């Protein structure tokens, strides 16, 4: 949702939600029911692709899948191919992260490595040369989208969007990354997340 | 979306989306089509109410409206009645902010004052005595929801949720509030937002 709220503010940008098949899509909590109007085949040449994350079991991170094939087909002509959270595993399954540094949700670091990527604990990892960007877990999508907006249309518009969404974060706790949280809290959350 | 992603992680919590009428609701950009299954009448005793924001013209901030009447009816028995962004104007229209300090999107400060509230440039404003919480524009919903979670179920669970959504924000620019952005950028965004 973060990238959607940022990117739809870019003047002239057309934002579309697409999936392997069009139709209703429920979020992981089952409460949000989204009507997806476009399938992958109907979006053959996107400028910017953002693959969102989700719980591990729902992530389409199978090499050879329809999603992987689509990413391989569209990536050569994108301006940016990007992911948030476990969406990095989808890029990985398409072979796009082979040999690159990348980030993902801290709970999916091992899986990321299985696709030949090297995890780095940064909020956003940008590779200008191969136009690939990955972001850390869930909430990092806002930071990713503002960063990409700056590169796409300049810092002035990106700053205006940051102000428009009043993005001046003040987290109540200093525990939002695995290293800041420490092993005890990480273990607890890992157990709950399964 | 921020509060939804946080609050649905509280163990045992039932999160429902409701509106004046059930049915499909589109977001301000027209791309997200949400199926709302509950109308206000079917949610007569919520523990926590979070009123989201939206563009000024779409905010149901009319005193005497069905929304205002529902808020007046449910607020006495809530644990928290809260708002994000221009959602504060909805609380205001229900008379809940009369004489209180409160916050909202920086572009709606004048409107907030018309409901007898005193704007204060804080990210989250909490009134424990009257169980009312207001948050600043759009992205502040995450900070609000984590703060309320801490009060509802304790800091440990709130910290675990902050880590689960990897909320360790790193905004690319330091311009996310009106005072940080300065008058020139504020004027630009105000002109675009209409």
């Amino acid at each position: 949702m973060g990238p959607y709220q940022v990117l739809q503010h870019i003047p002239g940008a057309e934002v579309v939600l697409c999936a392997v098949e069009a139709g209703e899509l429920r979020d992981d909590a089952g409460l949000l029911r989204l009507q997806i109007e476009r399938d992958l085949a109907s979006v053959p040449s996107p400028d910017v692709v953002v693959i969102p994350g989700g719980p591990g079991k729902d992530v389409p991170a199978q090499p050879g899948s329809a999603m992987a094939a689509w990413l391989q087909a569209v990536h050569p002509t994108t301006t940016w191919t990007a992911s948030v959270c476990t969406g990095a595993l989808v890029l990985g399954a398409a072979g796009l992260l082979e040999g690159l540094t990348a980030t993902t949700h801290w709970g999916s670091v091992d899986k990321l490595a299985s696709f030949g990527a090297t995890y780095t604990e940064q909020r956003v990892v940008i590779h200008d040369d191969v136009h690939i960007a990955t972001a850390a877990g869930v909430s990092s999508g806002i930071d990713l989208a503002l960063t990409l907006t700056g590169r796409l249309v300049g810092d002035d518009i990106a700053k205006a969007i940051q102000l428009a969404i009043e993005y001046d974060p003040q987290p109540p706790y200093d525990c939002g990354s695995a290293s800041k949280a420490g092993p005890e809290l990480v273990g607890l959350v890992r157990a709950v997340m399964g």
Side-chain angles (χ1 to χ4, degrees), chain A:
Chain A
M1 293 297 131
Y4 167 67
Q5 291 205 313
V6 170
L7 298 174
Q8 53 114 332
H9 278 102
I10 295 179
E14 180 196 6
V15 179
V16 300
L17 301 178
C18 58
V20 174
E21 293 178 17
E24 185 179 282
L25 208 62
R26 291 199 175 224
D27 78 325
D28 52 311
L31 197 58
L32 295 184
R33 298 162 55 191
L34 300 179
Q35 299 296 329
I36 308 292
E37 291 173 2
R38 308 279 290 267
D39 62 12
L40 295 179
S42 72
V43 187
S45 56
D47 294 317
V48 177
V49 173
V50 181
I51 306 288
K57 62 178 171 42
D58 298 332
V59 178
Q62 295 78 34
S65 67
M67 178 64 84
W70 180 77
L71 277 171
Q72 287 160 356
V74 303
H75 173 62
T77 56
T78 63
T79 307
W80 287 104
T81 301
S83 64
V84 180
C85 196
T86 50
L89 306 179
V90 182
L91 300 192
L96 302 185
L97 301 182
E98 183 76 40
L100 295 182
T101 55
T103 190
T104 184
H105 190 283
W106 56 264
S108 293
V109 169
D110 292 348
K111 184 80 175 157
L112 184 72
S114 75
F115 294 118
T118 302
Y119 174 73
T120 173
E121 191 181 331
Q122 286 175 233
R123 190 80 176 152
V124 176
V125 177
I126 302 272
H127 289 285
D128 285 290
D129 52 343
V130 290
H131 51 101
I132 285 179
T134 52
V138 193
S139 60
S140 66
I142 304 175
D143 299 323
L144 169 84
L146 288 169
T147 301
L148 291 187
T149 298
R151 303 211 176 199
L152 286 163
V153 291
D155 289 338
D156 288 349
I157 290 176
K159 286 180 182 176
I161 294 174
Q162 185 174 327
L163 176 60
I165 63 169
E166 204 159 350
Y167 186 48
D168 180 32
Q170 293 172 25
Y173 310 102
D174 189 24
C175 67
S177 70
S179 60
K180 289 181 178 173
E184 192 176 345
L185 188 57
V186 166
L188 175 71
V189 173
R190 202 183 286 274
V192 173
M193 291 175 63

